[in-house]
Amino acid sequence: MPIVRNSFIQMSKLTNLKGRINYISSHVRQENLYAVYETTDRIFWTELAKCNQEEFMRSGTEGKCIEARELIIALPESFVDYEPDKLLKLFTEHFKQKYGVECIAALHHNKRKTNYHIHLVFSERKLLANPVEKIATRNMFYDETGKHVRTKKEVYERTFFTIKDSRFKSDSFLDEVKRSYTDLINIYVRDDKEKLKVFDKNGVYLPMKKVGRNNPKAEQIEADNRVRTMWNQTVDRALVSGVPEGQILEVKQSEIGQKAKASIQKSGRNPALFKSLIMAAIYALELLISKVFKTALEKADKVTEAFV
């Protein structure tokens, strides 16, 4: 079977926008920084962070203020052959044209140069063409003798940005972005083997989890990924053996999906239980493979007998 390469794009919330921009765009802090592309000047980001912080304080919401969001877009390694500045501009403008918001992006390699990727920071707000001013009018001003001297209007609030676009919070947004960038990447790959597809969460395979740097649950995630790999490898063998995809999906849904959902609702997430569910599903899939194999042998025997 051909190798299926899934696109990898993840999104995170930024609570220190200025610090993050400095980090991704600094040649001093990034060993392998190839290009930086900005759709607006840095003053925009300073004002955006200030606006978000002020609204957050007024709302009285607990937690941390979200000043912007960031996408990390993994690229095929062959893309190092393209000019970095032009490549980064293409991917950044693609997002701005689609969603109409300002962006700042940086093109990186990791230290071992095995992960070519883009950090794309974007605003959830747009800049207003005309700032909105709220004015407090005070009609009575007096001097030290008590005499009425003048009338004054005070601007007590000036708004430069629209409200946050709620679509960036929706579950469908990241899926939409993945599909959009996967299509863009596939236009520019020169080898069909590098073409990507968006992982189908409703398909027969289980997704792998990314282990972030300094993640305290790294061991747990790696153990979880090992058992997910075992399932995906068994799925490959089942498909090669001739087990119908529909039957594999039924096993996944009944033995993993439905039972995991019921378990979470009853007692929360339990990694050990999830592993046992996957192992039981693998066993069920092995039975289907054996059944198909047995049926194939029986047919072969009948064909042999017909010629004897």
Side-chain angles (χ1 to χ4, degrees):
M1 289 188 66
I3 297 174
V4 176
R5 300 179 185 274
N6 293 310
S7 60
F8 175 77
I9 298 175
Q10 70 176 28
M11 183 170 68
S12 58
K13 303 171 184 176
L14 301 182
T15 58
N16 179 7
L17 178 57
K18 182 180 178 181
R20 187 59 178 171
I21 288 175
N22 288 340
Y23 179 75
I24 67 171
S25 63
S26 169
H27 283 279
V28 174
R29 303 181 71 180
Q30 297 298 329
E31 184 177 344
N32 300 306
L33 171 62
Y34 302 109
V36 176
Y37 182 77
E38 308 179 41
T39 63
T40 186
D41 56 49
R42 295 289 175 96
I43 296 174
F44 172 90
W45 302 105
T46 300
E47 292 299 324
L48 175 68
K50 181 181 176 182
C51 169
N52 283 320
Q53 289 291 347
E54 288 174 349
E55 286 209 2
F56 181 77
M57 292 295 291
R58 284 196 295 269
S59 71
T61 306
E62 294 182 356
K64 294 184 178 181
C65 172
I66 308 304
E67 297 180 351
R69 292 177 184 258
E70 177 185 4
L71 293 170
I72 298 179
I73 306 163
L75 301 173
E77 282 301 309
S78 64
F79 276 30
V80 296
D81 295 334
Y82 291 112
E83 290 184 38
D85 290 328
K86 291 181 179 179
L87 180 68
L88 186 59
K89 181 178 179 179
L90 172 70
F91 275 74
T92 310
E93 288 292 343
H94 177 81
F95 189 91
K96 181 176 180 179
Q97 289 171 19
K98 188 173 181 64
Y99 296 105
V101 293
E102 302 296 348
C103 311
I104 177 169
L107 181 60
H108 291 185
H109 244 139
N110 62 341
K111 287 186 178 181
R112 293 182 297 166
K113 292 191 174 183
T114 57
N115 180 8
Y116 200 46
H117 60 278
I118 291 171
H119 293 267
L120 190 150
V121 173
F122 66 93
S123 169
E124 296 175 276
R125 303 175 188 269
K126 295 179 183 178
L127 197 62
L128 291 168
N130 298 301
V132 176
E133 295 182 344
K134 292 184 180 179
I135 300 173
T137 303
R138 296 172 62 189
N139 294 317
M140 303 302 288
F141 276 75
Y142 302 89
D143 62 15
E144 61 276 7
T145 64
K147 183 180 178 181
H148 179 218
V149 289
R150 63 189 173 94
T151 299
K152 181 180 179 182
K153 292 182 178 179
E154 287 187 350
V155 176
Y156 68 96
E157 187 177 318
R158 182 179 284 113
T159 304
F160 295 96
F161 296 92
T162 63
I163 62 172
K164 286 186 176 182
D165 192 331
S166 59
R167 66 179 160 172
F168 297 129
K169 296 180 181 179
S170 68
D171 293 336
S172 61
F173 169 69
L174 187 56
D175 286 338
E176 180 180 280
V177 169
K178 286 179 179 179
R179 295 183 188 283
S180 180
Y181 272 123
T182 297
D183 290 343
L184 182 62
I185 288 171
N186 286 341
I187 291 172
Y188 291 92
V189 292
R190 292 164 178 162
D191 187 342
D192 285 346
K193 292 179 181 178
E194 283 194 317
K195 284 191 179 293
L196 305 177
K197 63 175 289 186
V198 177
F199 185 85
D200 182 4
K201 59 186 176 183
N202 296 315
V204 292
Y205 294 97
L206 288 172
M208 306 298 286
K209 293 184 177 181
K210 181 174 175 59
V211 183
R213 185 185 300 177
N214 300 323
N215 191 326
K217 295 184 178 180
E219 279 190 34
Q220 178 183 312
I221 294 172
E222 288 169 356
D224 184 77
N225 280 341
R226 283 194 291 272
V227 75
R228 287 169 181 262
T229 299
M230 289 174 63
W231 164 263
N232 290 341
Q233 290 172 343
T234 308
V235 168
D236 286 340
R237 290 198 296 109
L239 290 170
V240 170
S241 300
V243 178
E245 190 171 325
Q247 288 187 21
I248 300 171
L249 194 57
E250 284 180 10
V251 172
K252 180 190 172 189
Q253 290 172 340
S254 62
E255 297 299 320
I256 302 175
Q258 294 174 10
K259 289 182 179 179
K261 184 178 179 180
S263 174
I264 291 171
Q265 290 175 342
K266 183 179 179 180
S267 53
R269 296 186 180 277
N270 184 332
L273 179 59
F274 186 67
K275 178 181 177 180
S276 68
L277 292 179
I278 295 179
M279 295 306 296
I282 290 173
Y283 179 71
L285 207 51
E286 293 280 7
L287 289 178
L288 284 177
I289 295 171
S290 298
K291 183 179 179 181
V292 169
F293 187 66
K294 182 180 178 181
T295 301
L297 285 177
E298 290 174 349
K299 287 182 178 179
D301 288 342
K302 288 180 180 178
V303 171
T304 302
E305 291 173 0
F307 285 93
V308 173

